[in-house]
């Protein structure tokens, strides 16, 4: 079985500051890991995914995430926050041939 | 361009009524999923399907049903709507590799906001 814990339901950063959204997973098999973003009144859009290739994964809009097996983590980062990054972010895990299991989400606010 | 659509986008209904939410995808994906999104719970899986005539229960399937008669559509039915089913519902789909493995990247529809009074 798989599960995801996102630390912090709400994160607030200043424009230009580092964005760090935390995700820890649990999986009984090698995991596939994902970050999705949801803008207000929209569906979810894939930011990036880890599927057992490179441990540092680059996604869209300048985001990246690093898979750390020893820490069971897949934290999302962006060096410099933009106002347009304000959204809800979801981490998700799959065991490979099973549906995604999502975390509860982290709302990112960007302050001018 | 391929897409996944949901209808209606907004629905208000009364307790006890049957409601059907539509999901249609033109990706030709084998796999389709229904989730509900509630504050503080993230997305929770209701039902999913790996192909025509295949359906499976998810984490929160009680009070919901689905049927898959073709590749493109997976309608979600609330047999007797309850106030606890007030939520935003998302449909998603994903493909399958030539070897039969599940492509985990899911594509999401825009959602249906359902209110049960």
């Amino acid at each position: 079985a798989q599960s995801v814990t996102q630390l912090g339901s709400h994160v607030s950063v200043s424009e230009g500051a580092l964005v760090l959204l935390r995700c820890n997973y649990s999986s009984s098999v090698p995991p596939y890991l994902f970050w999705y973003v949801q803008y207000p009144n929209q569906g979810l859009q894939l930011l990036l995914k880890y599927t057992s290739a490179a441990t540092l994964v680059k996604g869209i809009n300048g985001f990246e995430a690093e898979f750390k097996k020893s820490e069971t983590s897949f934290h999302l980062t962006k060096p410099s926050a933009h106002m347009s990054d304000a959204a809800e972010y979801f981490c998700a895990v799959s065991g490979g041939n099973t549906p995604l299991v999502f975390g509860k989400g982290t709302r990112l606010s960007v302050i001018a | 361009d391929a897409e996944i659509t949901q209808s209606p986008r907004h629905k208000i209904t009364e307790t006890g009524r049957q409601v059907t939410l539509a999901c249609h995808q033109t990706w030709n994906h084998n796999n389709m999923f229904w989730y509900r999104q509630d504050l503080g719970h993230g997305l929770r899986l209701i039902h999913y399907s790996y192909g025509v005539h295949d359906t499976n229960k998810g984490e929160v399937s009680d009070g919901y049903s689905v049927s898959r008669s073709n590749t493109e559509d997976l309608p979600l039915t609330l047999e007797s709507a309850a106030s606890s089913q007030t939520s935003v519902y998302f449909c998603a789909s994903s493909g399958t590799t030539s070897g039969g493995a599940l492509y985990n990247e899911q594509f999401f529809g825009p959602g249906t906001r359902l209110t049960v009074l």
Side-chain angles (χ1 to χ4, degrees):
Chain A
Q2 289 78 39
S3 66
V4 166
T5 301
Q6 291 185 240
L7 301 176
S9 59
H10 183 208
V11 170
S12 184
V13 301
S14 298
E15 192 174 20
L18 172 71
V19 175
L20 172 60
L21 304 182
R22 299 178 187 273
C23 172
N24 287 89
Y25 70 91
S26 173
S27 179
S28 55
V29 298
Y32 293 81
L33 294 157
F34 303 80
W35 276 99
Y36 282 84
V37 61
Q38 183 182 32
Y39 299 103
N41 299 313
Q42 295 187 25
L44 277 71
Q45 178 183 0
L46 182 70
L47 269 180
L48 50 81
K49 60 183 178 182
Y50 167 78
T51 57
S52 76
T55 56
L56 182 62
V57 181
K58 295 186 182 298
I60 62 172
N61 301 338
F63 284 93
E64 63 181 36
E66 186 172 8
F67 172 69
K68 292 187 176 181
K69 183 178 179 180
S70 61
E71 299 177 9
T72 60
S73 68
F74 191 58
H75 302 330
L76 181 70
T77 61
K78 182 174 180 177
S80 176
H82 294 169
M83 297 297 291
S84 60
D85 294 327
E88 186 97 18
Y89 292 81
F90 292 93
C91 183
V93 65
S94 168
N97 222 29
T98 56
L100 294 180
V101 175
F102 285 85
K104 294 183 178 182
T106 297
R107 182 163 60 92
L108 175 66
S109 297
V110 181
I111 304 168
Chain B
D1 287 350
E3 61 178 355
I4 180 166
T5 58
Q6 294 183 236
S7 61
R9 294 294 312 278
H10 301 270
K11 174 79 175 177
I12 299 175
T13 191
E14 296 177 343
T15 300
R17 290 190 178 269
Q18 183 181 82
V19 176
T20 296
L21 308 183
C23 175
H24 179 81
Q25 53 98 2
T26 58
W27 292 96
N28 198 33
H29 284 162
N30 288 332
N31 315 305
M32 297 184 71
F33 309 85
W34 273 104
Y35 296 88
R36 59 178 289 173
Q37 183 178 25
D38 304 287
L39 195 63
H41 290 278
L43 277 82
R44 292 180 290 175
L45 184 65
I46 305 172
H47 282 286
Y48 58 103
S49 168
Y50 288 153
V52 176
H53 303 309
D54 175 75
T55 61
N56 305 278
K57 294 182 178 180
E59 176 189 358
V60 290
S61 61
D62 287 349
Y64 304 93
S65 64
V66 294
S67 64
R68 186 93 178 268
S69 58
N70 59 49
T71 300
E72 296 80 18
D73 300 288
L74 186 69
L76 177 71
T77 297
L78 287 67
E79 303 293 344
S80 177
S83 58
S84 60
Q85 294 177 309
T86 292
S87 186
V88 180
Y89 292 85
F90 287 99
C91 181
S93 70
S94 68
T96 306
T97 69
S98 58
L102 190 68
Y103 266 135
N104 290 277
E105 178 177 349
Q106 293 183 7
F107 297 85
F108 282 80
T112 294
R113 183 174 296 275
L114 177 67
T115 301
V116 182
L117 301 176

